[in-house]
């Protein structure tokens, strides 16, 4: 046998110890569960049972019985099933919650609930938006916001996502650019959400004083009704120029999560009209956990309410419902945008302060 140099022997010993430690760590399971399919199922059901925040509300809305769900899906799980088959069963159980914030992630797939928007008309078109905005040189772009002044002196701001923060300085310059307009349209159709702080920043340029725009509670125990006292969500005035004239907010069924919260905030302010379609909802703050087998789960853990202490988990009704018909699409007319322009024309403008 050829002896290795001492330095290489030390490296080999180190790698062997590291490998042994890694193998030992891989046998550690959470809360005493192994990685058998039945244990992953029980872990997932129990995570929801202890931490999900809408059981009482959804039992009232559509009769959700989480214990009955356990009984029904437990019969479909066996320790001999493949990971793919287990994923299908667990994904279907997740969908019983009818919550777009609930996701199950495995290395090969993601379970998601999509009927909050797929079951309804889109009421938005990228091609119609491009026609309204014109060429790139015909509109402005700052902090992810597209904006312009239409020929009839109505301002328009398109916010397609809240995935990134919005700069207060950018909003100041946008308000300066739109200052002479008679009214403003804020379009959050098909905005699927992102950062609540970004939604609050955009809403902050439409108030001159601190306003309670909703409430939030947090889980305090494993019971379905164990929550803290609701705490107010306070919207503070933004820095720089703030809009005072009529505002029309446009939304559709794909307006979700932080964008749904934005609509909720705006409805608490004066001079604001919400037009278009019912929002998609998604009012629970998401929380993430992990199953014993390594798959990840995200779910709603903290409910947010509107100023009347009502859930908006299943969306917000518009003040003025408007839809884009098939004929409108064929004619190239964005009916919702056109109705918003007409509404501003009959509104009495005030001033920019």
């Amino acid at each position: 046998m050829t002896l290795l140099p001492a330095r290489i022997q030390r490296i080999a010993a180190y790698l062997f110890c590291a490998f042994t430690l890694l193998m030992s760590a891989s046998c550690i399971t959470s809360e005493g569960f192994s990685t058998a399919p039945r244990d992953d199922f029980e872990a997932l059901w129990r995570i929801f049972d202890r931490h999900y925040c809408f059981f009482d509300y959804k039992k009232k809305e559509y009769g959700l019985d989480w214990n009955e769900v356990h009984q029904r899906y437990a019969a479909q799980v066996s320790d001999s099933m493949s990971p793919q088959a287990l994923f299908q069963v667990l994904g279907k159980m997740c969908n019983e919650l009818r919550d777009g914030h609930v996701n199950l992630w495995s290395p090969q797939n993601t379970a998601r609930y999509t009927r909050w928007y797929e079951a309804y008309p889109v009421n938005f078109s990228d091609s119609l938006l491009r026609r309204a905005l014109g060429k790139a040189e015909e509109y402005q772009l700052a902090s992810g916001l597209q904006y312009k002044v239409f020929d009839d002196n109505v301002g328009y701001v398109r916010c397609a996502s809240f995935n990134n923060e919005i700069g207060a300085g950018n909003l100041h310059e946008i308000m300066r650019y739109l200052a002479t307009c008679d009214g403003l349209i804020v379009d959050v159709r098909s905005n699927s959400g992102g950062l609540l702080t970004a939604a609050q920043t955009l809403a902050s340029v439409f108030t001159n004083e601190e306003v309670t725009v909703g409430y939030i509670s947090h889980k305090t125990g494993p019971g379905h009704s164990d929550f803290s006292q609701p705490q107010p969500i306070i919207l503070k005035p933004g820095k720089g120029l703030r809009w005072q004239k009529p505002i029309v907010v446009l939304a559709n069924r794909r307006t979700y999560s932080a964008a749904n919260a934005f609509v909720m905030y705006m409805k608490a302010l004066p001079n604001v009209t919400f037009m278009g379609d019912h929002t998609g909802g998604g009012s629970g703050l998401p929380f993430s956990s992990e199953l014993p087998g390594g798959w990840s789960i995200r779910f709603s853990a903290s409910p947010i309410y509107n100023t009347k202490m009502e859930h908006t988990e299943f969306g917000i009704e518009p003040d003025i419902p408007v839809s884009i018909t098939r004929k409108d699409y064929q004619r190239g007319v964005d009916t919702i945008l056109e109705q918003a322009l007409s509404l501003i024309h009959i509104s009495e403008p005030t001033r920019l302060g």
Side-chain angles (χ1 to χ4, degrees):
M1 175 183 291
T2 303
L3 294 177
L4 295 173
R7 180 171 178 272
I8 295 178
Q9 290 184 49
R10 288 196 299 271
I11 293 174
Y14 171 81
L15 291 176
F16 174 79
C17 291
F19 176 77
T20 303
L21 185 62
L22 179 62
M23 291 300 290
S24 299
S26 67
C27 296
I28 298 173
T29 58
S30 62
E31 298 189 10
F33 288 112
S34 70
T35 58
R38 287 186 182 276
D39 293 327
D40 266 347
F41 166 77
E42 293 294 342
L44 179 61
W45 185 89
R46 189 162 70 173
I47 287 170
F48 282 132
D49 186 59
R50 292 183 173 183
H51 303 290
Y52 187 68
C53 68
F54 290 124
F55 280 123
D56 289 346
Y57 173 62
K58 294 188 175 180
K59 182 176 182 178
K60 179 181 177 181
E61 288 295 304
Y62 64 92
L64 176 65
D65 183 338
W66 196 236
N67 288 321
E68 184 277 330
V69 168
H70 179 278
Q71 183 178 1
R72 180 155 38 98
Y73 282 89
Q76 303 176 39
V77 177
S78 69
D79 286 344
S80 61
M81 68 194 312
S82 68
Q84 292 77 15
L86 175 65
F87 183 86
Q88 291 297 318
V89 172
L90 297 189
K92 289 179 180 178
M93 185 175 76
C94 289
N95 286 346
E96 295 282 347
L97 299 171
R98 303 185 188 182
D99 189 334
H101 277 144
V102 171
N103 298 112
L104 176 66
W105 289 290
S106 75
Q108 73 272 15
N109 203 355
T110 301
R112 62 271 186 203
Y113 179 76
T114 56
R115 286 188 60 80
W116 57 269
Y117 66 89
E118 286 184 340
Y120 304 95
V122 176
N123 277 314
F124 179 75
S125 165
D126 286 331
S127 61
L128 294 183
L129 175 63
R130 287 194 296 269
R131 176 174 294 188
L133 287 174
K135 299 177 181 179
E137 61 269 20
E138 296 178 296
Y139 65 88
Q140 311 296 311
L141 177 64
S143 206
L145 303 174
Q146 298 167 296
Y147 62 101
K148 71 175 297 181
V149 178
F150 289 130
D151 291 340
D152 44 9
N153 201 39
V154 174
Y156 175 83
V157 176
R158 166 66 181 159
C159 179
S161 172
F162 286 118
N163 283 334
N164 298 301
E165 293 290 358
I166 299 174
N170 296 120
L171 286 175
H172 175 80
E173 293 303 322
I174 292 172
M175 293 299 103
R176 184 196 299 275
Y177 184 86
L178 301 173
T180 59
C181 294
D182 297 326
L184 180 64
I185 296 170
V186 182
D187 191 347
V188 290
R189 288 177 293 175
S190 295
N191 181 330
S192 60
L195 304 173
L196 273 176
T197 50
Q200 291 170 352
T201 299
L202 181 56
S204 71
V205 301
F206 304 115
T207 182
N208 292 323
E209 58 186 7
E210 292 189 359
V211 179
T212 297
V213 292
Y215 296 88
I216 185 171
S217 293
H218 301 281
K219 286 284 287 181
T220 57
H224 290 182
S225 303
D226 293 342
F227 291 101
S228 66
Q229 287 295 316
Q231 298 297 314
I233 301 171
I234 306 297
L235 182 67
K236 297 181 179 181
K239 298 178 180 178
L241 289 175
R242 296 187 296 273
W243 188 264
Q244 312 293 302
K245 302 176 186 179
I247 307 160
V248 180
V249 175
L250 308 185
N252 63 353
R253 287 280 180 170
R254 296 181 184 229
T255 302
Y256 195 74
S257 192
N260 181 78
F262 173 78
V263 175
M264 185 187 77
Y265 301 157
M266 295 297 287
K267 281 182 66 66
L269 304 179
N271 295 330
V272 176
T273 302
F274 167 29
M275 180 179 287
D277 198 1
H278 197 288
T279 65
S283 65
L285 284 184
F287 182 80
S288 296
S289 187
E290 186 173 304
L291 302 185
W295 294 351
S296 298
I297 181 68
R298 184 181 74 156
F299 56 91
S300 300
S302 297
I304 294 176
Y305 310 89
N306 64 16
T307 54
K308 299 178 181 179
M309 280 300 297
E310 299 168 334
H311 284 287
T312 63
E313 166 67 1
F314 286 143
I316 303 169
E317 291 281 356
D319 299 316
I320 303 177
V322 183
S323 294
I324 305 176
T325 67
R326 182 176 299 178
K327 289 184 177 179
D328 293 332
Y329 283 118
Q330 293 172 349
R331 294 187 299 116
V333 176
D334 187 336
T335 322
I336 298 175
L337 181 57
E338 292 296 324
Q339 290 285 339
L341 289 167
S342 298
L343 181 66
I344 287 177
H345 287 154
I346 63 174
S347 301
E348 181 180 355
T350 53
R351 62 181 180 82
L352 184 74

